[in-house]
Amino acid sequence: MTRKYSRQREEILYYLSTRKDHPTADNIYAAVRGKLPNISLGTVYRNLTLLADRGEILRLHFADGVDRFDYDTTPHSHFICKNCGRVTDIPIYSSDTIMDAVRNQFDGQIEGQITYFYGTCSDCLKKNKTQEKGE
Ligand SMILES: [Zn+2]
Ligand SMILES: [Zn+2]
């Protein structure tokens, strides 16, 4: 790895550390490009994959097929809004009991678990209510 690559990774990691909204690779690319004009989306993606493989960041998979990234690697759950696509942290992680139950039923090696909640976020709920009133 050359210096250039680690500089890119630092910028990606730094940007992610300032965000709480679980940006996509496209979001991160758009932001980091301001500082590193020569960076490509492919490079951003490669660095994100590497950081996620090393466990330095979390890669989140959702039903919409777009991966999002999280600087916070402590166990927590996520909520995705079906309306606006916003991903919010939920500081609850119930994995231990579920993990134990699943391990008892399964012969293979389980390395992790991805759970997310979905529905309508509070902002979208408010918006829907205002719209209903207006009609
Ligand atoms: Zn929403
Ligand atoms: Zn999160």
Side-chain angles (χ1 to χ4, degrees):
M1 282 286 166
T2 64
R3 274 187 88 86
K4 194 176 129 208
Y5 282 121
S6 46
R7 169 84 204 283
Q8 290 171 335
R9 197 173 313 136
E10 268 166 34
E11 287 294 342
I12 290 166
L13 204 56
Y14 173 74
Y15 173 71
L16 208 53
S17 75
T18 67
R19 309 297 307 189
K20 275 268 154 209
D21 60 349
H22 310 86
T24 63
D26 282 337
N27 299 149
I28 296 165
Y29 171 56
V32 173
R33 206 171 37 167
K35 276 190 180 170
L36 305 170
N38 294 326
I39 202 164
S40 69
L41 180 59
T43 303
V44 170
Y45 216 85
R46 253 197 320 278
N47 278 294
L48 288 168
T49 303
L50 187 98
L51 289 165
D53 287 350
R54 286 181 177 177
E56 291 181 44
I57 61 171
L58 288 183
R59 182 202 282 260
L60 310 170
H61 306 277
F62 294 100
D64 63 4
V66 183
D67 285 353
R68 288 172 177 76
F69 298 89
D70 196 345
Y71 187 73
D72 183 1
T73 56
T74 58
H76 62 281
S77 302
H78 292 99
F79 172 89
I80 183 164
C81 177
K82 291 191 295 182
N83 243 349
C84 64
R86 186 201 309 189
V87 177
T88 321
D89 284 333
I90 298 177
I92 294 170
Y93 197 66
S94 65
S95 124
D96 287 354
T97 34
I98 296 168
M99 224 37 159
D100 286 347
V102 173
R103 281 198 171 114
N104 287 336
Q105 302 287 324
F106 185 72
D107 291 338
Q109 186 187 12
I110 294 169
E111 291 173 1
Q113 175 210 359
I114 296 166
T115 310
Y116 67 86
F117 303 91
Y118 62 90
T120 310
C121 76
S122 54
D123 282 357
C124 287
L125 278 180
K126 270 180 226 152
K127 254 182 237 157
N128 289 347
K129 279 204 186 114
T130 339
Q131 269 168 12
E132 274 165 29
K133 273 182 202 156
E135 278 165 13

